[in-house]
Amino acid sequence: MISQKWAKLIKSLHLKKFRKAEQLFFVEGEKAVMEVLASGWPVKALFGTADFLGRHPDAAIAAELAHPCTASELEQVGTFTSNNAAIAVVELPHYAPFAEQNGDWVLVLDQINDPGNLGTIIRIADWYGIGHILCSTDTVDAFNPKVIASAKGSFLRVKLHYQPLAEVLGKVRQPVFGAYLGGESVHQLQLASSGGFIVLGNEANGISNELEPLISRRITIPAFGDAESLNVGIACAVIVDNLQRLSSTE
Amino acid sequence: MISQKWAKLIKSLHLKKFRKAEQLFFVEGEKAVMEVLASGWPVKALFGTADFLGRHPDAAIAAELAHPCTASELEQVGTFTSNNAAIAVVELPHYAPFAEQNGDWVLVLDQINDPGNLGTIIRIADWYGIGHILCSTDTVDAFNPKVIASAKGSFLRVKLHYQPLAEVLGKVRQPVFGAYLGGESVHQLQLASSGGFIVLGNEANGISNELEPLISRRITIPAFGDAESLNVGIACAVIVDNLQRLSSTE
């Protein structure tokens, strides 16, 4: 069973301020929990159903501490409406401040609010081999349980840095691309070299005025129909796909 | 206010069987309701807050019947947790069965279950000028309120046809592209001509065995990193973007 003390702790970790205070977050569901255990990230506690622990005897060893519990207990403390597998409580990672590497593509998120969008963007970064995401300090927290759920294990490989964006972008050497309406078409771009920063703006308001002077190239996904806009996760995927295509064929 | 009779009707329209029986669906929120009214689709009833009706006096005329009500009434009968604007009850459209047009790109959805994914795909189709989507008969219903919400007005322009896919694809002349792991990279494709069918499979199981022999070209989004997969909406956007790029530059 999940003790009162652990139940209270896990429930508190739904909120950023308690994740920060405790330096912990949690991961839900069979696949993500198995990925965390395999990753070597420090797991403080593992709660699993008898079925889950029976099928993964190694999981208990990897976690050092495994507590058998019921699916309903997992659902009570976590965010999944259905979880008949496990929850792992994990230490928050600490990344070095962002440092520019020539040739790397870096995503820059300017106040992304929706956790599902952030999770999707982390998964896209992982697919396209982007190791670092710069986030404005008001972007939704990467260890929000909904971000973790939609990032599908990719949060283990992509590093998110929450830093004042204008300060960082003011000092970089590589080009800074910004997604705008009415910029250069990503189908016709010419790149002098691979690598740079790709700025994506807030879901409703786009890129903030403060960052505008720091954008060196405005780029756009060409429209062939009548939709007004694309979701920020979709726009991210299409832009990154085009930039990686151009980088890899040059 | 929303009368008991209307409240009961709108609540019933959350479910496909009542939408089918009544031949009605509903649209929520200021932007989508205004788009429906502008589209000329037959609106059977409009429920709006005093504020909404005051700001859009023409809306009441366009709808013929406008009922003032409160935000809390809108939230009780609809699906939005917050709606201080309007709900429109609209007649279901009837589209002619799908007919192939040379040169057109057509999306084919093989058992897409998640309403958010379907809505996103409808919006992508609209952005890229794709007018028709073929859906397996077990794909989530296009007039599900969550699909309507995530399609953002694009459901007014893109026609969805629910038909047995194997039957339709067995008779088409243009190439049938299928999204698989390990197919031709969409970055390196050569197209003999523009147009064809783009088959996207179920979120968990991919393209069904029944359709496999009907796929003439297997295509893949190249991976540069370690993520196992991409969400079906993301995959749809990247594939369509590449095919439209290749079609428009030939």
Side-chain angles (χ1 to χ4, degrees), chain B residues 28-37 49 51-52 55-56 80 83-87:
Chain B
E28 300 170 272
E30 173 140 8
K31 199 144 191 278
V33 166
M34 291 307 294
E35 277 202 68
V36 170
L37 291 172
T49 58
D51 174 59
F52 172 87
R55 280 184 295 111
H56 302 289
F80 284 13
N83 180 355
N84 56 11
I87 286 181

Side-chain angles (χ1 to χ4, degrees), chain A residues 8-176:
Chain A
K8 198 179 153 196
L9 177 70
I10 297 171
K11 279 190 204 163
S12 79
L13 300 177
H14 291 227
L15 294 180
K16 182 179 169 185
K17 71 171 176 179
F18 294 110
R19 291 194 294 274
K20 210 177 155 191
E22 302 287 348
Q23 289 293 301
L24 296 171
F25 71 106
F26 66 91
V27 175
E28 300 170 272
E30 174 141 7
K31 200 148 191 279
V33 166
M34 291 307 294
E35 277 203 68
V36 170
L37 290 171
S39 73
W41 282 34
V43 172
K44 293 284 283 183
L46 173 69
F47 300 90
T49 59
D51 175 60
F52 172 86
L53 295 172
R55 280 183 295 110
H56 302 290
D58 46 324
I61 300 162
E64 290 182 29
L65 268 173
H67 306 269
C69 67
T70 65
S72 124
E73 285 178 297
L74 294 173
E75 291 152 13
Q76 269 167 41
V77 299
T79 67
F80 284 13
T81 46
S82 160
N83 180 355
N84 56 12
I87 286 179
V89 179
V90 189
E91 284 181 30
L92 280 181
H94 288 277
Y95 301 130
F98 174 74
E100 184 175 11
Q101 296 278 350
N102 273 343
D104 278 2
W105 291 106
V106 176
L107 288 173
V108 181
L109 307 183
D110 187 13
Q111 206 197 330
I112 296 299
N113 286 330
D114 182 81
N117 284 341
L118 181 58
T120 300
I121 290 171
I122 295 171
R123 196 171 164 198
I124 293 165
D126 192 23
W127 180 273
Y128 284 100
I130 293 179
H132 297 273
I133 300 180
L134 274 165
C135 300
S136 63
T137 52
D138 54 2
T139 284
V140 58
D141 183 47
F143 296 95
N144 176 310
K146 287 184 191 164
V147 176
I148 295 295
S150 70
K152 302 270 182 214
S154 291
F155 68 87
L156 293 162
R157 291 175 291 269
V158 178
K159 295 182 173 66
L160 278 79
H161 308 268
Y162 288 76
Q163 293 179 229
L165 296 182
E167 209 173 278
V168 180
L169 293 179
K171 292 179 195 155
V172 300
R173 295 177 305 271
Q174 297 182 100
V176 179

Side-chain angles (χ1 to χ4, degrees), chain B residues 148-165:
Chain B
I148 295 295
S150 70
K152 302 268 181 217
S154 291
F155 69 88
L156 293 163
R157 291 175 290 268
V158 178
K159 295 182 173 64
L160 278 79
H161 307 269
Y162 288 76
Q163 293 181 227
L165 297 182

Side-chain angles (χ1 to χ4, degrees), chain B residues 83-164:
Chain B
N83 180 355
N84 56 11
I87 286 181
V89 179
V90 189
E91 285 182 27
L92 280 182
H94 288 276
Y95 300 129
F98 174 74
E100 186 176 9
Q101 296 277 351
N102 273 342
D104 277 3
W105 290 107
V106 177
L107 287 173
V108 182
L109 307 183
D110 187 13
Q111 205 197 330
I112 296 299
N113 286 330
D114 182 82
N117 285 341
L118 180 58
T120 300
I121 290 171
I122 295 170
R123 195 171 163 198
I124 293 165
D126 191 22
W127 180 273
Y128 284 102
I130 293 179
H132 297 272
I133 300 180
L134 273 164
C135 300
S136 63
T137 51
D138 54 2
T139 285
V140 59
D141 183 48
F143 295 95
N144 176 310
K146 286 184 192 164
V147 175
I148 295 295
S150 70
K152 302 268 181 217
S154 291
F155 69 88
L156 293 163
R157 291 175 290 268
V158 178
K159 295 182 173 64
L160 278 79
H161 307 269
Y162 288 76
Q163 293 181 227

Side-chain angles (χ1 to χ4, degrees), chain B residues 4 37 53 72 79 88 105 162 175 199 224 242 246:
Chain B
Q4 282 238 332
L37 291 172
L53 295 173
S72 124
T79 67
W105 290 107
Y162 288 76
V199 184
F224 296 79
N242 277 282
L246 291 163

